[in-house]
Amino acid sequence: MTKRLLTAALLLAVSVIPAHAAKTSLVVGMPIEPPGLDPTVAAPVAIREVTWVNLYEGLVRIDKAGKVQPLLAKSWEIAPDGLTYTFRLQEGVKFHDGSTFDSADVKFAFDRARDPKSTNAQKQIFAPISSIETPDPATVVIRLKETSGNFLYYLGWGDAVIVAPETAANNAANPVGTGPFKFKSWTRGDRVELTRNADYWQKDKTKLDTVTFRFISDAQAQVAALRAGDVDAFPNLGASELFAEFQKDARFKAVAGNTEGETVAGLNSAKKPFDDVRVRRALMHAVDRKTLIEGAYSGFGQPIGSFFSPNNPAFVDTTNVVPYDVEKAKALLKEAGYGDGLSITIKSPQMAYASRSAELLSAMLSEAGVELKIIPTEFPAKWIEEVFKAKDYDMTIVSHTEPLDIDIFARDSYYFNYKNEKFKALVAEAAKTTDEKARFAKYAEAQKILAEDVPALFLFQLPKLGVWNAKVQGLWENSPIPSNDVTEVSWTE
């Protein structure tokens, strides 16, 4: 070959070498491993953080701004009386097993969720439903027994995703949905792997080919994994004291966002001494929320005085209803017959914010003459069994991250064992109220009742300390709903 031909051949070879392509894989770190992968049968938030809109989809979805958007339903009509919802469905949608999605699947999913034997964690979503009709494969008509001001919003939650009758029974271990990613594998104690759904109905929606969720509970190990590049993102970093270092590191993007998570120390109102409101108020008076936030979350987080997210337009600040006042705490305890002291226990999950908060609460309550013994409790398995189901506890601590969930204090069998008929009736009325101003007024009154009655120690709104590789884009900075939505995540080249 002549020198001229050799040079030409080399130039041609160089010209056809592709430019460096952007990565198409993503590794996301999570502090808690889900106990299963079906959000329609169990409560733990970690289930939704892996599966919601990644594997499963609902008729509608909640976007990053907290607004309702179409998904499997492309449009809907609401009758003037608010009792009939007619949904027009997307066509050409398939489940991951190749079966066709249609109106019969919607009816099955909602009938399954509202069945008396259902273990769906948010059955109140489906309680207003009177009947579900399927006049044709692309239309669903839902008739309600009573109006529901939040019905459409609730249908965007992970508890209301659509599952198929052929595969629903096995979804906890082998999830089958309609989402842009398909389940590949689950290595218990380590990771869940997803792969791109080549038959997804929204063509070119996703840029990633594989997504791996790794479970790392230790906060320092989370930091090490990020710095080593073993994980690309940790949307909820546990090591708040090291967050500022990531903010200064150009290799990462570090964002202090917010969540819908009310962090509370639940009290078992069915047990003495927590059946006495004076004791509950005394414990709340003994807590310095600002100091607690500084110690538990390095100052990130907002104090709360009731069970309502500050992100919600119906929020009212009730932190001054039972303010920090140690002398008042002592006086109330003496009045309730515990002037010589009180000894109680707290079952604390292993999450960093929970264990740190429990230690701080123990120190604060001791100033008021209360001994608080900490019992470390594995979350979710042991906590779900002992606290959530068996209600075998004095005090516990956890963040409730579902949006607009003040109604849990109105549930007869919920783990707080709280009974207040006025509050229960008020929340029920709020749920039925379609006029926004009137509904917000009822929620404001409900917040004040909880602040005064103290069925839990209302501590702070859980922040979202997200850290990820600076070349990753599309992750949510806030969490208006529990999720790790990776459907629009991509890498810059």
Side-chain angles (χ1 to χ4, degrees), residues 3 54 58 76 84 113 139 143 198 285 287 347 367 370 478 491:
K3 184 176 181 180
N54 298 324
W76 54 85
T84 302
T139 307
R143 303 189 189 280
H285 275 303
V287 177
K347 289 192 172 179
E367 296 295 315
V370 177
N478 301 306
W491 290 80

Side-chain angles (χ1 to χ4, degrees), residues 3-330:
K3 184 176 181 180
R4 181 178 295 176
L5 287 174
L6 179 60
T7 302
L10 288 171
L11 287 172
L12 179 62
V14 170
S15 68
V16 298
I17 295 174
H20 179 68
K23 285 179 64 175
T24 58
S25 64
L26 184 74
V27 180
V28 179
M30 290 174 51
I32 299 295
E33 179 176 17
L37 296 173
D38 184 352
T40 69
V41 299
V45 166
I47 303 174
R48 291 141 186 80
E49 290 178 332
V50 171
T51 66
W52 182 77
V53 301
N54 298 324
L55 286 168
Y56 301 107
E57 297 177 308
L59 292 180
V60 298
R61 61 162 293 158
I62 309 301
D63 67 14
K64 64 178 64 178
K67 304 297 184 183
V68 175
Q69 300 293 347
L71 197 53
L72 291 177
K74 59 186 176 183
S75 64
W76 54 85
E77 299 165 7
I78 305 173
D81 63 2
L83 294 175
T84 302
Y85 287 69
T86 301
F87 295 92
R88 311 294 178 187
L89 306 182
Q90 305 284 356
E91 298 183 61
V93 178
K94 292 184 178 182
F95 285 94
H96 299 151
D97 64 351
S99 60
T100 300
F101 158 80
D102 61 24
S103 59
D105 297 303
V106 177
K107 178 174 171 53
F108 165 78
F110 289 178
D111 282 346
R112 172 176 174 260
R114 67 195 187 105
D115 187 278
K117 297 179 181 178
S118 165
T119 57
N120 190 291
Q122 304 294 342
K123 292 180 76 171
Q124 82 283 354
I125 294 174
F126 312 98
I129 296 177
S130 173
S131 66
I132 302 173
E133 301 165 12
T134 56
D136 62 65
T139 307
V140 175
V141 179
I142 300 179
R143 303 189 189 280
L144 306 184
K145 294 175 286 190
E146 57 190 18
T147 54
S148 174
N150 300 307
F151 185 64
L152 200 60
Y153 175 71
Y154 285 151
L155 293 185
W157 290 17
D159 311 83
V161 295
I162 307 304
V163 296
E166 297 86 353
T167 53
N170 298 318
N171 275 346
N174 186 27
V176 175
T178 60
F181 295 97
K182 300 170 68 171
F183 174 71
K184 179 183 178 183
S185 65
W186 184 359
T187 304
R188 301 274 179 166
D190 183 29
R191 66 187 63 201
V192 166
E193 295 179 283
L194 312 181
T195 60
R196 182 187 179 97
N197 177 11
D199 297 321
Y200 184 54
W201 59 277
Q202 294 189 76
K203 301 299 181 185
D204 302 320
K205 165 79 171 178
T206 57
K207 302 294 188 291
L208 299 173
D209 290 328
T210 63
V211 179
T212 301
F213 291 95
R214 285 196 56 199
F215 311 117
I216 306 172
S217 59
D218 182 77
Q220 296 302 317
Q222 295 169 13
V223 170
L226 278 165
R227 287 175 171 164
D230 294 334
V231 299
D232 302 311
F234 227 102
N236 290 285
L237 186 71
S240 57
E241 69 278 7
L242 297 177
F243 182 73
E245 293 185 21
F246 282 108
Q247 289 179 307
K248 299 172 185 176
D249 192 331
R251 296 174 299 166
F252 299 96
K253 183 172 184 179
V255 180
N258 56 53
T259 75
E260 294 298 303
E262 294 85 16
T263 305
V264 304
L267 305 173
N268 191 344
S269 292
K271 292 181 66 175
K272 289 186 177 297
F274 311 106
D275 58 343
D276 189 331
V277 69
R278 294 171 297 181
V279 172
R280 301 198 301 267
R281 287 176 181 163
L283 298 177
M284 190 73 262
H285 275 303
V287 177
D288 182 344
R289 294 181 179 95
K290 291 184 178 179
T291 299
L292 181 76
I293 292 169
E294 190 63 44
Y297 242 105
S298 302
F300 296 101
Q302 181 175 342
I304 56 172
S306 188
F307 198 79
F308 216 80
S309 169
N311 305 319
N312 194 297
F315 170 79
V316 291
D317 185 0
T318 55
T319 51
N320 286 327
V321 173
V322 185
Y324 175 53
D325 186 337
V326 177
E327 294 308 312
K328 181 68 173 177
K330 292 177 180 178

